[in-house]
Each structure stands twice: as structure tokens, then as C-alpha cells.
Amino acid sequence: MTITESESVVVGPVRNRRQGSRRGPERATGKRQFYRHLLLIAMASVMFYPLAWMLGASFRDDSQITNPGLWPGDALTLDGYAKGWEGVGGTPFWRFILNSLVISGLCVAANLIACSLTAYAFARINFRFKKIWFGVMLGTLMLPHHVILIPQYIMFREFHWINTYLPFIVPKILATDAFFIFLLVQFFRAIPRELDEAARIDGLGHTGIFFRVILPLSKPALATTAIFTFIYSWNDFFTPLIYLTKPELYTVPLALRSFIDATSYSAFGALFAMSIVSLLPVLGIFIAFQRLLVEGIATSGMKG
């Protein structure tokens, strides 16, 4: 036997033992990942079940609405969608969707303009008592909405704003959402100030820097603000309940509540059907801007 053959005899078992030692941790890691994914799938199924049940219930007859199964079976019908689209109180449901779109769209536009301007002032402009005002702004996050509810209602009533959309939009114009101001401030602070200095050399002031430097670089944070503002405004039930009494001005959450009447017949099929319809705009916006939403939350939360 030559030296090469003897070395191959010795090296062969050693190499096999090394490969076997590597496969052990890899198999353990693979098992852990499998069980982890299995657990996540089980948890997702539990969370998805109510939505799946509501989707199946929207195709059931009212007599079969309490069936715990997901598939409507022989009770499959589209009466819930037909009755729900007719609306309540003589107002079609598309009018409620239009009302919610108008309010949500105006709230998004007002919040983007007001909160971005306020955040730029806190992030880039030095003025007296800046830290104090910033602390006061953050302190409003800890103030319960119910504390200012009655004074705000009395003020808006004196302004004759009841049964109008002004109580929803005017507070947004005044930059009352401190959470979005803080989010944008954190993002603006992460933008290098060297860009501001370069813009000043080119003759730009605060207005030019804001529109030509800060805003183009802040699309993820602005998209996050817009998406969350739209979702909050679209799903808001309490504020329209206080300021809107005319059915033709109702938003989608108020219209859905109108399908349930404690003193008479409740149209659960129509309720579930229109609930599915009302989820579509929010779901579509979230899917369309998911990348910007995740990027905006990550960059705003990790830097600053």
C-alpha cells in the first residue's frame, strides 16, 4: 500500500464523521424551523377563522346565520349582498361608502400637509422653547380622547358644525395627531443635514428645502402616515356617532350598525355582506402600499 492510499483510508472516515457532525445541527435546525412554521400557521388559522366565517355567513340565509361552519352549503344565497346594497333608511349603501371615502381622503390630505410641516419645524428649525413645545406635543399622546370630548362637542355645536364633516377635517388641519408628527420627526432627523447645507448654497430657504429635499426623501414615512390615517378615519365609529344624525351623512361604520336593531328585525346577512365590502378598500390600500408601510415604520422606529 502506498502513502497516498493509506492517507485516503484515514481521511475518508474523518471526513464522514465531519459531515455527520454537520448534518446533526442542520437537522435540528430544520426541525425547529418546521415546528415554528407549524405554530405560526396554527396561530394564523385561529386569527383568520373569524374573517373566513364572516365571508361564509355573508352568503347564508338569515335562518342559517348561526351555523359555525365556514361553507354555507345548501343555504348559499346572494340576498345579503342585494339587501345590504339597498342600504338603510332609504339611503343606498354606496352613499355611505362615498361619505367614508370623502372624509378619509380629506383627513389624509390634511394630516399629510399639517403633520409634515409641524414635523419639519421640530426637526430642522431652531426656535425658542422648542424642546418644551415638543414635550407638550408628546404629552398629548397620553391625554385620553374622552377628556376633551365634551368641550370639543360644545365648541363645534356653537360653530354649527353638527351634521357636517368639519369636525373630522378641521382638527387634522391643525395637526392634532401627535403620533404622526413624532413619526415624521424621527424620519426627518435621520436625513443628513449636509443635504440642507448643500441646498442653502444653491439659494434655497426652508420652503425649498422642505419641498425639494425633505419630502422626496420621506416617501415611506409619508405613506405610513397616509395609510394609518385612512384606516383610522375609515374605521372610526365613535366620532361620526356623535356629530352625524342624518342617515344620508352616515359613514360605513354607522351604516353597518344600522343593520342591527334591538327593537325589530336585524339583517345579519346584509350586515356581514356589507362588512366584507367595507374591508375591500382598506385591504386594497394595504396590499398596494405594503412595502412603503413596512419601510416607513422600520426607518422611523429604529433611527432617531
Side-chain angles (χ1 to χ4, degrees):
M1 179 181 297
T2 63
I3 297 177
T4 305
E5 292 176 351
S6 62
E7 290 177 352
S8 63
V9 172
V10 176
V11 172
V14 174
R15 184 179 299 172
N16 293 334
R17 285 196 298 269
R18 289 179 179 177
Q19 292 178 353
S21 62
R22 292 177 181 176
R23 290 174 183 174
E26 291 178 356
R27 291 177 181 177
T29 303
K31 288 182 179 180
R32 285 196 298 268
Q33 291 181 352
F34 173 77
Y35 290 123
R36 187 182 298 118
H37 284 85
L38 190 63
L39 178 61
L40 292 176
I41 292 174
M43 295 175 62
S45 300
V46 173
M47 297 178 63
F48 182 73
Y49 175 80
L51 181 61
W53 182 88
M54 184 174 67
L55 179 61
S58 66
F59 293 100
R60 290 196 190 101
D61 186 75
D62 287 342
S63 60
Q64 303 291 330
I65 206 69
T66 57
N67 187 350
L70 297 180
W71 181 249
D74 297 336
L76 179 64
T77 179
L78 295 176
D79 291 342
Y81 287 89
K83 295 178 181 178
W85 196 251
E86 294 176 359
V88 291
T91 304
F93 198 83
W94 64 263
R95 178 63 182 270
F96 305 134
I97 296 179
L98 180 62
N99 294 340
S100 291
L101 286 176
V102 170
I103 294 176
S104 300
L106 292 176
C107 287
V108 168
N111 236 14
L112 285 177
I113 295 173
C115 291
S116 60
L117 288 172
T118 307
Y120 177 80
F122 280 124
R124 286 295 200 265
I125 301 177
N126 294 321
F127 53 90
R128 293 185 64 184
F129 309 116
K130 172 181 175 179
K131 294 182 179 180
I132 296 177
W133 286 118
F134 188 73
V136 171
M137 184 271 296
L138 292 180
T140 60
L141 289 173
M142 297 177 285
L143 186 67
H145 177 66
H146 304 83
V147 173
I148 62 174
L149 178 62
I150 296 177
Q152 196 175 56
Y153 177 83
I154 294 174
M155 182 178 64
F156 290 158
R157 185 188 62 183
E158 295 298 323
F159 293 163
H160 303 287
W161 287 0
I162 305 300
N163 282 321
T164 67
Y165 294 152
L166 293 177
F168 307 91
I169 303 166
V170 172
K172 306 295 183 183
I173 298 176
L174 300 177
T176 57
D177 286 332
F179 171 78
F180 297 117
I181 297 175
F182 177 73
L183 184 144
L184 291 171
V185 167
Q186 296 298 94
F187 195 94
F188 291 170
R189 286 176 176 174
I191 298 176
R193 287 185 175 269
E194 288 78 7
L195 298 177
D196 297 10
E197 298 174 359
R200 291 185 185 280
I201 294 175
D202 292 337
L204 296 180
H206 284 298
T207 303
I209 294 173
F210 177 72
F211 285 104
R212 297 188 181 185
V213 178
I214 300 298
L215 288 186
L217 297 175
S218 305
K219 290 181 181 179
L222 295 175
T224 302
T225 302
I227 293 171
F228 277 116
T229 301
F230 181 86
I231 293 175
Y232 292 159
S233 302
W234 181 271
N235 294 330
D236 188 14
F237 173 78
F238 191 63
T239 307
L241 181 65
I242 296 175
Y243 296 109
L244 301 179
T245 59
K246 296 181 180 179
E248 62 269 17
L249 297 176
Y250 280 3
T251 58
V252 169
L254 282 183
L256 294 176
R257 176 62 181 83
S258 301
F259 285 113
I260 301 177
D261 190 351
T263 61
S264 62
Y265 177 75
S266 298
F268 287 103
L271 169 65
F272 292 137
M274 293 302 100
S275 296
I276 294 297
V277 173
S278 66
L279 286 176
L280 297 180
V282 177
L283 184 62
I285 290 178
F286 180 80
I287 294 175
F289 299 99
Q290 182 180 8
R291 182 183 61 82
L292 290 175
L293 177 63
V294 174
E295 184 178 351
I297 294 176
T299 52
S300 300
M302 294 176 62
K303 297 181 180 180

